[in-house]
Amino acid sequence: MADVESAKQESRIFNPPANLVKDAAISGMNAYRALCAEADRDYAGFWARLARENLDWHKPFTQTLDESQAPFYKWFGDGELNVSWNCLDRNLANGNADKTAVIFEADGGEVSQVSYRELHRRVCQLANGLKSLGIQKGDRVVIYMPMSVEGIAAMQACARIGATHSVVFGGFSAKSLQERIIDAGAVAVITADEQLRGGKHLPLKAIVDEALALGGCDTIRNVVIYRRTGGNIAVAAGRDLWLHELVASQADTCEPEWVNAEHPLFILYTSGSTGKPKGVQHASGGYLLWAALSMKWTFDIKPADIFWCTADIGWVTGHTYIAYGPLAVGATQVVFEGIPTYPNAGRFWDMIARHKVSIFYTAPTAIRSLIKAADADAKVHPSQYDLSSLRILGSVGEPINPEAWMWYYKNIGREQCPIVDTFWQTETGGHMISPLPGATPMVPGSCTLPLPGIMAAIVDETGNDLPNGQGGILVVKRPWPAMIRTIWNDPERFKKSYFPEEFGGKLYLAGDGAIRNKESGYFTITGRIDDVLNVSGHRMGTMEIESALVAHPLVAEAAVVGKPDETTGEAICAFVVLKRSRPSGEEARQIAKELRDWVAKEIGPIAKPKELRFGDNLPKTRSGKIMRRLLRVLAKGEEITQDISTLENPAILDQLKQAQ
Ligand code: 6R9
């Protein structure tokens, strides 16, 4: 990967601005080192102190870390709290009742504001409404919602009554939704009639109906519908209810359900290297601690800040840095329904200017596409907008290439804003490796150093530490509070995926490769080392896409690989063998389109292969293994220079050179 190479070569250093350092939560590298040293000295004591200082406990904990059933670690295990209470009631008590919690900007540009008092009221009413449907502590609720105050309120309402939510991104298909409903054993779905993105009405309720009609969702009793557009939908009597009707007669306070710190707050499905998506299960106490603390440490959040994270609540970034973190620290945040290119590619910059956003957190793929748009049309160039309110920029989801980093730094940050390149994962709950805006000198393309208390390291295949300068496998050596607790319904898979025996069962395996700089010790992430692709910051398992393809009646065999893409980071390239003869010309194009649409239906439009190639066979070893490394070379359009002596059928390579 060319980007990784340029990131590894990068030597420019950018220091945090002095005025920011002065007032930062972690001010200067000595303050950072002091926190790291505290964690080294007394790991449990360090986290216990932070958990007491940052969260309000209904029943204080006396045990910090319980390792007796490792790798099923428990944090603050005998403490009790409620996540929604910490996000809402605590702010009412702290004098933030009339502070704006959410500035909501709709797709079409309408803006509304919701105070902490109002959000608390809405969450309580919905929590009471859910209780009136018989939903109880421990029940699972699937949320399939557009970006909205109601989506956040639905998550918070579940947390309030101790129900475990599982948010499914609104871009996933009926089939994906059905699989998640079944795996989670959900009792209800909260959805909307439609979502509105870029002026287009996209069905949500109709997809829920389709998912339920696919069968197997016997645990579902109710579907609650938020009326977003007023679009035409079917309402099943006895099962479906309007959200506004459900909450209309509900009391506007709701005593929170006090739960154990380890109580599952949510399950979020994410792609793994094999089989079906994994239900990553997070606990309440440890997760919320990290959500709050990383808002303070990585984003240096202050009372006057206007925070904006552009992620969707369907991804982990939208959980930690929209639905929970900002509220847990009493911040004001922008929540955006639409897309960065509507009505034009200046939308983000225009919104930053209008809402006076001071902390802006987005993905490299968005930055890269907006660079292109700004190059093509001067009217949407960031120089046309007043971005002077910004003080900190953030990046998440995939490696940011030094070129995009520099553009972001110069054009959006006006060379005055630190960029926090935050490396983390669905499984880690929050930031793991990132610069601190008032401390860490930045190097473009490097996520720099682990947050205090995060014991990240690089090891070889046998789990031994590697010296700086040598690339290897990224691991975390000690459990941390916000870590994944298990895979829902599959504890064995949890152990195998993240704490494999080959590594002594004690190291958390991130699934990424990394290298540390010889002098600075800074980390650069070199990309996934398993069969997971990162397309526009979305995780996709190659196996998932292959299974979807072979489920099509025409397909005999399929292999999916990633191919570097200027805008999306990686693009999906599928090699397909049909049950009939290899098609060509117009027919091949037709079938390719049909298969792409099929994948969109099976998984969701984000999983559509960008490229599809047909062969009479796939390149295989004599023992029948598909040689994916050759497919990766072909996908890139490069000549094969590797050894192909173990290849059973070398002639096949020529056929697979052409995209349809
Ligand atoms: C938060 C999130 C996790 C995977 C992760 C890695 C990649 C995320 C990154 C990054 C380099 C960064 N990733 N942030 N790679 N630099 N700053 O994205 O979670 O969807 O689970 O993806 O994304 O490969 O393993 P998730």
Side-chain angles (χ1 to χ4, degrees), residues 268 270-271 280 315-317 321 361 364 395-400 420-428 430-431 433-434 445-447 474 508 510-513 524-530 532-534 537-539:
L268 183 58
T270 189
S271 295
V280 173
W315 308 115
V316 74
T317 307
Y321 300 106
Y361 191 34
S395 172
V396 61
E398 53 180 317
I400 179 163
V420 290
D421 175 3
T422 60
F423 168 83
W424 61 295
Q425 310 175 292
T426 306
E427 294 87 343
T428 69
H431 302 152
I433 310 181
S434 173
S446 167
C447 52
L474 179 65
Y508 168 82
D512 283 287
T524 292
I525 306 295
T526 51
R528 299 288 307 191
I529 49 173
D530 52 12
V532 172
L533 304 182
N534 192 325
H538 299 155
R539 263 167 81 168

Side-chain angles (χ1 to χ4, degrees), residues 145-146 191-196 200-206 225-233 337:
M145 294 277 269
T191 189
D193 47 4
E194 297 180 319
Q195 59 179 337
L196 204 53
K200 290 202 190 88
H201 290 235
L202 304 166
L204 287 177
K205 174 58 169 55
I225 317 152
Y226 158 53
R227 180 179 277 160
R228 170 62 190 97
T229 62
N232 220 351
I233 56 158
E337 180 181 38

Side-chain angles (χ1 to χ4, degrees), residues 297-547:
W297 284 358
T298 317
F299 292 125
D300 188 40
I301 191 87
K302 295 279 193 295
D305 274 315
I306 309 281
F307 178 79
W308 183 18
C309 164
T310 69
D312 190 286
I313 52 167
W315 308 115
V316 74
T317 307
H319 280 59
T320 311
Y321 300 106
I322 296 178
Y324 292 111
L327 302 178
V329 296
T332 296
Q333 68 175 323
V334 172
V335 172
F336 178 41
E337 180 181 38
I339 58 171
T341 48
Y342 178 82
N344 62 45
R347 182 71 179 261
F348 275 5
W349 322 137
D350 183 46
M351 283 180 63
I352 291 171
R354 278 189 288 110
H355 300 304
K356 305 208 165 15
V357 171
S358 55
I359 306 173
F360 179 64
Y361 191 34
T362 197
T365 185
I367 298 167
R368 289 192 298 263
S369 71
L370 296 174
I371 294 175
K372 267 198 195 162
D375 285 348
D377 178 2
K379 285 201 295 296
V380 298
H381 194 276
S383 57
Q384 302 300 307
Y385 303 84
D386 176 9
L387 304 179
S388 58
S389 56
L390 287 170
R391 63 182 200 97
I392 293 166
L393 301 175
S395 172
V396 61
E398 53 180 317
I400 179 163
N401 47 310
E403 300 71 22
W405 194 102
M406 284 310 306
W407 187 91
Y408 197 28
Y409 187 71
K410 281 191 179 149
N411 292 281
I412 310 303
R414 306 156 338 272
E415 303 186 43
Q416 286 162 35
C417 304
I419 297 178
V420 290
D421 175 3
T422 60
F423 168 83
W424 61 295
Q425 310 175 292
T426 306
E427 294 87 343
T428 69
H431 302 152
M432 296 297 278
I433 310 181
S434 173
L436 301 171
T440 321
M442 290 155 291
V443 172
S446 167
C447 52
T448 72
L449 297 169
L451 266 62
I454 301 298
M455 307 301 184
I458 297 177
V459 299
D460 65 15
E461 270 82 24
T462 53
N464 291 318
D465 280 310
L466 284 173
N468 289 355
Q470 224 168 308
I473 298 166
L474 179 65
V475 297
V476 186
K477 292 190 157 180
R478 306 274 336 245
W480 67 101
M483 68 191 295
I484 174 177
R485 291 306 193 264
T486 187
I487 293 177
W488 183 258
N489 275 341
D490 207 346
E492 273 313 304
R493 191 173 174 198
F494 165 75
K495 279 209 254 181
K496 270 208 213 108
S497 310
Y498 304 111
F499 293 93
E501 279 308 320
E502 304 93 276
F503 292 81
K506 288 239 180 251
L507 299 177
Y508 168 82
L509 222 70
D512 283 287
I515 184 165
R516 299 185 72 161
N517 182 278
K518 267 204 184 124
E519 285 79 42
S520 61
Y522 277 12
F523 286 75
T524 292
I525 306 295
T526 51
R528 299 288 307 191
I529 49 173
D530 52 12
D531 290 319
V532 172
L533 304 182
N534 192 325
V535 182
S536 295
H538 299 155
R539 263 167 81 168
M540 302 291 332
T542 50
M543 305 284 182
E544 256 175 287
I545 306 170
E546 288 168 8
S547 317

Side-chain angles (χ1 to χ4, degrees), residues 75-126:
W75 284 92
F76 321 120
D78 61 343
E80 282 178 13
L81 81 175
N82 180 280
V83 167
S84 156
W85 197 92
N86 271 275
C87 292
L88 300 169
D89 305 53
R90 187 159 67 144
N91 284 304
L92 303 195
N94 282 351
N96 279 339
D98 295 314
K99 181 170 177 175
T100 300
V102 175
I103 302 169
F104 177 71
E105 179 153 324
D107 188 56
E110 308 81 6
V111 175
S112 50
Q113 308 207 342
V114 181
S115 66
Y116 273 93
R117 192 194 308 281
E118 171 65 11
L119 187 61
H120 175 264
R121 190 183 67 78
R122 288 209 217 171
V123 169
C124 286
Q125 284 195 316
L126 183 52

